[in-house]
Amino acid sequence: MDLVVAGRPVFVSEIASDSEQQQQQLEGQTVRLTGTLQWYDPRTERALLTDGTCGCLVDTRLLGVGRYAEGQTYQVIGCLTKGDGQQE
């Protein structure tokens, strides 16, 4: 499997704890993000994935999942963008 197409595997803590330079390199890249679901808002279709004390807001509009279970570990594939001081 080609990791460029499938996305680089990363945990939420890697995105949050990396240097500013590393964050700039990751911005716009396709990644496979793994984290634990803390909450999901069906109105905005956003979810918060965490890894330890770090969190990442995820836009779930294109995922096609009807139900999410808080406390479960999820892996999502998508493009990293920076918005409002948080990684999405």
Side-chain angles (χ1 to χ4, degrees):
M1 177 182 288
D2 186 357
L3 288 180
V4 173
V5 175
R8 175 183 163 198
V10 295
F11 287 92
V12 174
S13 59
E14 292 177 72
I15 295 169
S17 65
D18 284 336
S19 68
E20 181 71 25
Q21 181 181 12
Q22 181 66 21
Q23 287 181 0
Q24 289 174 350
Q25 290 175 347
L26 285 172
E27 191 169 340
Q29 298 296 310
T30 301
V31 297
R32 286 185 282 158
L33 179 66
T34 303
T36 302
L37 180 68
Q38 292 303 306
W39 57 260
Y40 170 69
D41 183 350
R43 184 180 52 80
T44 61
E45 296 184 275
R46 299 222 173 190
L48 179 64
L49 293 182
T50 62
D51 181 14
T53 61
C54 303
C56 183
L57 189 60
V58 177
D59 182 343
T60 64
R61 288 179 289 183
L62 300 177
L63 296 181
V65 177
R67 290 186 155 180
Y68 294 93
E70 293 179 2
Q72 295 297 309
T73 300
Y74 288 89
Q75 185 173 73
V76 295
I77 300 173
C79 183
L80 286 177
T81 60
K82 194 169 189 170
D84 299 329
Q86 300 178 25
Q87 290 286 347
E88 292 189 50

